[in-house]
Amino acid sequence: MKVLVINAGSSSLKYQLIDMEGEKLLAKGLCERIGIDGHLKHTPLVDDKPVFNEDLPLPTHAEAIAAVIDKLTSAEYGVVSSMSEIDAVGHRVVHGGEKFASSVLITDEVMKALEDCTPFAPLHNPANITGINACVEVMGKDVPQVGVFDTAFHQTMPAKAYMYALPYDYYTKDGVRRYGFHGTSHRYVSQRCAELMGRPIEELKLISCHMGNGSSICAIMNGKSVDTSMGFTPLVGLPMGTRSGDVDPGALQFVMNRYGMDIDAMLNVLNKKSGVLGISGVSSDFRDLENAAEEGNERARLALDMFDYSVAKVVGSYVAAMNGVDAIIFTAGVGENAPTTRSGICSYLGYLGCEIDEAANAKRGSDNRISTDASKVQLWVIPTNEELVIARDTRDIVSAL
Ligand code: ADP
């Protein structure tokens, strides 16, 4: 079975075509500037086919999907001979609210439920819905479409973890609660970690640190998410590339009054001008921050220190929540590629008996254990693969039809 994995944003669309036999990636690509002008980078990964990387008009998502299918099936850049070889499509959907605790086959009813979740993710869900509609328009109703939600894995959190201490009606009437994000990534790396440890996930306490442009941490007990650092939106928890993480709402009211900002202007600052960018004034990219800190930039140093410290505090709180931890996992852009951040975080974890093996930590490569044999808690670097999870869920759901 060949599965097309789609991650549609408001003006972009990422895709991968995966042959589930051997889980082989056949092609991947990115449409950008949809609705503006348009650019497609298509990378075939078989038969030494050339990369297509050109501007081309992409007025709508449907036209972007049509361009992707055209490239996937073309003689020059293609990896399949016709669209009929694509058996199913798996879509990343950001917010499934409380309606979706697992991946689902997209039906008219599901589309309606997705619309109902849109107020929770007004920037993301409409783009995901547009992506699904575009695929149906171009590929027809007979190709099954599956939705895989960022929030679904966290639906196992107990009420004591997901409730906010606000008037209860905001939860019952309006659905205001912690939902959590990056669930597909936390699920993948926790399952992979159990496999690598050679132990059933049902008997493990794991903490997964997804650290990229957006960052979140997840406590996983017996294979289930029991707490996570993002909340109703992906804005809270850790300081991120440009997102603030936790801030006292009273401080926001103070700033808004002082600068005459409305809530939208404030949220724009919190989402786009805060985090390690806001602190350092240098960059949201950890590579730039490391370079600046090395050259003596104190605010870049502070931003990195705040990040490590925040991660260590959340990890500590999840050890308390689970009454222990067997392994801590680092993943995503920063988690996979920044040894100094990993070792900075682990420098706080000596009380747990965590011992990092600096030689292993310095090595690149996938699925890398970076704790010493004596370490009481295993430390792992596991590259995330959200697309593979989406493709696997899609295969499982479609095979059972
Ligand atoms: P997203 O959350 O957008 O999916 P990624 O998981 O790809 O992001 O992470 C992107 C971030 O990873 C970059 O902003 C950068 O800070 C970080 N990163 C990538 N490579 C390195 C590296 N070699 N050293 C430090 N940080 C890195």
Side-chain angles (χ1 to χ4, degrees):
M1 179 185 293
K2 295 191 178 87
V3 177
L4 180 62
V5 176
I6 299 284
N7 182 353
S10 56
S11 68
S12 70
L13 187 148
K14 277 194 232 163
Y15 64 93
Q16 289 192 357
L17 184 66
I18 303 176
D19 187 347
M20 296 315 289
E21 203 149 316
E23 296 187 335
K24 191 168 182 240
L25 183 57
L26 301 176
K28 61 178 182 178
L30 172 65
C31 300
E32 285 177 295
R33 302 179 59 81
I34 300 170
I36 306 162
D37 37 30
H39 186 92
L40 169 60
K41 181 171 184 190
H42 167 79
T43 310
L45 296 158
V46 290
D47 301 335
D48 292 325
K49 299 247 168 136
V51 172
F52 176 90
N53 190 11
E54 284 177 32
D55 290 342
L56 79 175
L58 300 174
T60 64
H61 282 71
E63 271 143 309
I65 292 284
V68 169
I69 302 281
D70 178 58
K71 289 292 161 284
L72 285 170
T73 55
S74 83
E76 196 176 357
Y77 305 99
V79 295
V80 289
S81 52
S82 77
M83 193 167 78
S84 62
E85 280 189 52
I86 302 171
D87 300 291
V89 186
H91 295 267
R92 177 199 180 207
V93 182
V94 169
H95 216 305
E98 287 190 332
K99 293 198 160 90
F100 300 104
S102 58
S103 304
V104 284
L105 182 73
I106 304 276
T107 59
D108 291 344
E109 220 176 2
V110 167
M111 285 305 271
K112 173 138 194 342
L114 287 184
E115 303 272 0
D116 294 343
C117 295
T118 291
F120 294 144
L123 296 179
H124 292 103
N125 271 33
N128 303 148
I129 291 169
T130 305
I132 296 169
N133 284 330
C135 282
V136 175
E137 190 180 325
V138 174
M139 303 176 79
K141 276 221 160 213
D142 291 343
V143 180
Q145 317 269 334
V146 168
V148 179
F149 303 90
D150 272 19
T151 48
F153 182 59
H154 301 299
Q155 280 296 305
T156 48
M157 283 190 291
K160 64 186 173 188
Y162 70 68
M163 285 300 290
Y164 290 131
L166 290 170
Y168 198 71
D169 281 358
Y170 293 145
Y171 170 62
T172 49
K173 288 196 184 140
D174 307 308
V176 175
R177 50 160 284 180
R178 180 190 306 282
Y179 287 100
F181 299 87
H182 293 142
T184 312
S185 174
H186 291 302
R187 174 153 68 105
Y188 173 78
V189 296
S190 57
Q191 286 170 354
R192 184 79 189 119
C193 187
E195 253 171 66
L196 292 161
M197 291 171 79
R199 291 180 56 189
I201 198 164
E202 292 74 22
E203 59 184 46
L204 287 172
K205 295 171 181 173
L206 303 171
I207 297 175
S208 147
C209 307
H210 178 111
M211 311 187 298
N213 278 321
S215 298
S216 73
I217 306 193
C218 183
I220 301 146
M221 203 161 163
N222 311 328
K224 295 193 165 81
S225 168
V226 291
D227 208 341
T228 192
S229 60
M230 283 179 169
F232 181 73
T233 71
L235 181 55
V236 293
L238 304 168
M240 311 181 205
T242 62
R243 284 179 235 157
S244 63
D246 294 342
V247 185
D248 178 349
L252 304 180
Q253 184 197 32
F254 178 84
V255 169
M256 287 164 72
N257 286 340
R258 183 148 284 213
Y259 294 102
M261 282 196 242
D262 64 10
I263 189 71
D264 289 338
M266 188 72 250
L267 276 169
N268 191 47
V269 171
L270 291 170
N271 272 304
K272 301 206 171 123
K273 297 184 177 161
S274 301
V276 293
L277 168 69
I279 291 293
S280 67
V282 171
S283 172
S284 62
D285 192 304
F286 278 60
R287 286 163 289 200
D288 299 336
L289 294 175
E290 283 173 11
N291 291 336
E294 245 165 61
E295 286 163 10
N297 184 314
E298 285 181 15
R299 279 171 53 188
R301 178 77 272 148
L302 175 63
L304 291 169
D305 286 349
M306 283 173 69
F307 184 80
D308 296 353
Y309 177 68
S310 305
V311 173
K313 281 203 300 184
V314 176
V315 167
S317 69
Y318 290 169
V319 175
M322 297 192 290
N323 189 21
V325 60
D326 296 299
I328 298 169
I329 307 157
F330 298 103
T331 193
V334 178
E336 292 165 29
N337 298 302
T340 47
T341 296
R342 293 192 298 256
S343 85
I345 294 164
C346 291
S347 71
Y348 291 97
L349 306 179
Y351 72 99
L352 294 172
C354 273
E355 213 177 83
I356 192 164
D357 176 342
E358 285 299 352
N361 186 38
K363 265 193 250 158
R364 289 201 166 262
S366 55
D367 299 343
N368 190 13
R369 183 173 160 186
I370 58 165
S371 49
T372 63
D373 289 343
S375 182
K376 288 201 184 120
V377 178
Q378 293 193 12
L379 304 168
W380 284 90
V381 177
I382 302 179
T384 194
N385 197 339
E386 288 156 287
E387 291 79 10
L388 184 58
V389 178
I390 295 172
R392 284 178 180 167
D393 281 8
T394 303
R395 173 202 54 203
D396 293 347
I397 286 173
V398 171
S399 307
L401 289 178

